[in-house]
Amino acid sequence: MNSFIKYTNLLLINLLLGFSVLAQGSGTIRGTIKDAKTKEDIIGATVFITGLSKGAATDVNGFFSISNVPSGDHTIKISFVGYKSKVYENVQVKSGQITELNLSIEEESSTLAEVKVVAQRLTNTEVSVISEIKAAQLVVSGISAAQITKTLDRTAAEVVKRVPGVTIFGDRFINIRGLNERYNTVQLNNTFAPSMETDVRSFSFDIIPAGQIDRILVFKSPAAELPGEFAGGVVKIFTKSIPEKNFLTVDFSNSFRDGTTGQAFRAPAQGSNYWTGFNQGYNDLPAGFPASKQELLQASGERLSQIGRLLKNNWVPVNSTANPDLRFSLSSGLKFDLGNIKVGNITAVNYSSSKTIYQMVRNDFGYSTIATTGEPDYVFNFNDKQYSSAIRFGVLHNWAFRLSDHHSLEFKNLFNQLSNAQFVDRIGIDNGSNWDIQSFDQVYRGIYTGQLGGKHDWNDGNTKLDWVIGYNTSFRDQPDYKRFRYTMDGANKSLYVPSGAAQTFNLGRTNIILKEHALTGGINFTQKFIVSAGQDGAKGKELELKSGIYVESKKRDFSARNLGYVRANSSLFNIGQLPIDQIFAEANINSTNGVKLDEQTNPNDSYQATNDLFAAYVQGGYAIGSKFNLVAGVRAENNSQRLNSYDLVGLPLKYDNTVLNILPSFNLSYNFNEKSLLRLAYGKTINRPEFREVAPFSFYDFVNNRNISGNPRLKNASIQNFDFRFERYPTPSEVLSIALFYKQFTNPIEVVFASGSNPNLDFENAESAYSAGLEAEIRKNLSAENPNSFLGKSSVVFNGAYILSKVSLGSKASANQSDNRPLQGQSPYILNAGYNYTDSKKGLQLNLSYNVIGKRIYAVGNNYGYNYPDWYEMPRHVVDFTFSQRVAKNLLVKGGISDVLNNKNIVLQDGNLDGSFDASKDQIIQSFTPGRVYSVGIIYTPFGF
């Protein structure tokens, strides 16, 4: 490892020192001109570059484009009859790049004057994101803040599913091209996003409010400059940065949910300040409670009873009425000069509170008798009433400093916390007995991520340096996860209290704490060479060399305690028929006829883990004229993953997975013209196990009634990626793209049913797998030539994917598992469509959107003793409608309906193995209806509108 770092550093140093200052290149200035007041497109305005004999006139969309502009800073002048002339200074043009400007001019009053401003490149508009995608040398998709405002999306999870080829699983985990969350990498402002999950390898997208997002880009083809660990894609979330102007905005809305709002609501007991969303310690283990299992088990008699009485008797839900959901945000932007330094700040505070009530059906089946009876037998059959509440609080605080036209610094800070409380009332049959089961859960999740970064360029933009250092921390506290069950015999109920050893999943409380910290740093150096100049102003041959280093050091601490209750004396126990709060009255926690505390925490219920990544890359881009561009490179990633825990009998377990991976890649593009291009890409990537997946810890998931265990024998997976895409950009706001992709997996990591028991899940390496598909995206204005007509104010978006995949587990694993099937979580098709109507003059905007994904494996089946089919999550059609209307210069009313169709969420099992999935004939594993959501709110901007 040391020698690798040494030689890599020498290579990079020599590469950096070897670069020289070379000739000047050229770029393109383009953008739109609008009326500053009405926001209508200006047709026929003249755009002229001062000092050059270059200019252009805007078209019917207010669009202009000026190519072959020399690199450097320029001044442009806009003029149009009846409008004030306007001059934009310091418009920066970089060689081989497009400078995107979205400008406005004002109507003349009584005097003529020129107005001077400093131009700033926008990144959060639809045009700017499309331009960034077009200029990228990779296969990439994205969504802008401007598109986000057309929806009622509340979190990044709802936003990102509108990107082509992207879906969301479990309301917060991302699937790209049908590949589940483990195959996708997420970065926040170019550093790895922290995880807050104990059981899955993924970033929780529901933690980031939609209003904090500037843009999201999803890179789908490998490149040396990108992280090497992904198969679906690398998601880059950029939070808002320098504002265009000073502003203050207040956003407030209420939502009404069918089946929830106004209904009786039940929730776990909480402290008085729970509304803040912060853990006030109400559910934490009390002061004076034994710090370890050993200390607790050493206590006996009255001392053990005293310890049991320390825990709160909060086994009864609190009753209330579900109020409308609430969302509030306050954001501000500030721009000022500090001497010659231009300073910008964006600060946002957001808060939301929401509730849901779901009537859920949960079943599981056995298939030992289906061959003789034709029907499966129930393992369990439950009807759940699930009450959930979520409180989000977040702060974004970003600073940017433009030291000069060529040097800038950014300091970005993001803190978000999510509090989830849940009470489940479960009635039904389990293994032939009738039960009344209840659970109480409270989870606090949060992240803080901070980055200090800089961008620098010299030699007319031919030499560039960017760097970032960051600190991430995340936490997940589950302080008191309680479950109990009463056996039902007609009108008689009796609490199930085990004898001897506790059974936490039947009667107990679990305390889980996860903390993760990471330090990150990266530096990238780019040098562009003009190998030969073009003739008559044409673009010549260019060579761009890029190199960089990225490091991350991550540490996780995970601990869990499983506390349960047993009969103090089996022969004397006589209180089982009492209500639950009376059974746990202090007098009944004793060593005679009541209940006493026990602990079943195992040595493998805690672990400490570290992950140290050192990555370095070298990449070259060669442009031949204006048609061909080749980017090829190699990335080396040395990753050391270590985990320390214990096995079931307490013997030390040390996991060490240190691997050096060499990852080549290339991206070739051919430009037919400024509006059309082809891309061809190849790259090798990897997929490493996550801490949780190799940890020996086993956790009982009450909601889905199953155990989840880690596997220390997991190996890294490797993926060969191939991409081909055609892109056409008729106008700056329109796009048409068609893509083909193929991925070959070796040792893919799958979630499977553990040996001999359907409710137990495990992680295993399959032998191989492949995934191949077709993607398409369209963004189109319906009548660009008549912008003031109804069709001219209308636009449509569509993106879809059709995907085939198959996994082969290998002879050993497939003997007892479902084999030759799609990858777990792989959807065969994904469709997103939308219609948007925008009348800028009237301040009216309407949006209708549609989303559906094909059926996908929710959990993999097995063949232990008899065939147990896979679980499939069925397609669900989602339609959303939103509107916004400006009613005053600084006041906007918005609203809409989410999930108009309100389809059921269904997980099915094809018990008869006929290959057809029908909820009326096949086995329903899970079913519930989420409910429509009606929203209305206002956006008030006291200044800056």
Side-chain angles (χ1 to χ4, degrees), residues 257-260 356-361 384 386 876-877 898-907 926-933:
R257 187 183 301 269
D258 281 346
T260 297
T356 61
I357 302 175
Y358 295 152
Q359 301 276 2
M360 312 184 79
V361 173
D384 289 3
Q386 179 179 293
R876 187 170 182 275
H877 301 271
S898 299
D899 203 357
V900 174
L901 301 180
N902 197 23
N903 285 173
K904 284 187 176 181
N905 184 307
I906 300 177
V907 176
Q926 172 184 288
S927 175
F928 70 95
T929 303
R932 297 178 189 87
V933 180

Side-chain angles (χ1 to χ4, degrees), residues 256-267:
F256 304 81
R257 187 183 301 269
D258 281 346
T260 297
T261 305
Q263 301 297 310
F265 193 81
R266 308 173 75 190

Side-chain angles (χ1 to χ4, degrees), residues 199 562 604-605 692 695-700 707-710 760-761:
D199 294 313
N562 293 305
N604 61 350
D605 288 341
R692 175 62 189 89
F697 169 69
S698 179
F699 173 72
Y700 174 65
N707 292 301
I708 305 170
S709 302
N760 296 333
L761 297 182

Side-chain angles (χ1 to χ4, degrees), residues 3 5 14 143 179 183 197 254 285 293 295 337 447 505 507 531 546 615 742 753 764 789 803 843 864 899 928:
S3 61
I5 295 174
N14 287 331
I143 189 169
L179 295 171
Y183 290 112
E197 302 302 317
N254 277 129
L285 291 176
K293 173 183 177 181
E295 184 181 342
D337 292 339
I447 63 169
F505 53 88
L507 179 63
V531 179
K546 192 171 185 178
Y742 177 82
F753 283 94
E764 293 285 351
S789 67
I803 305 164
Y864 291 111
D899 203 357
F928 70 95

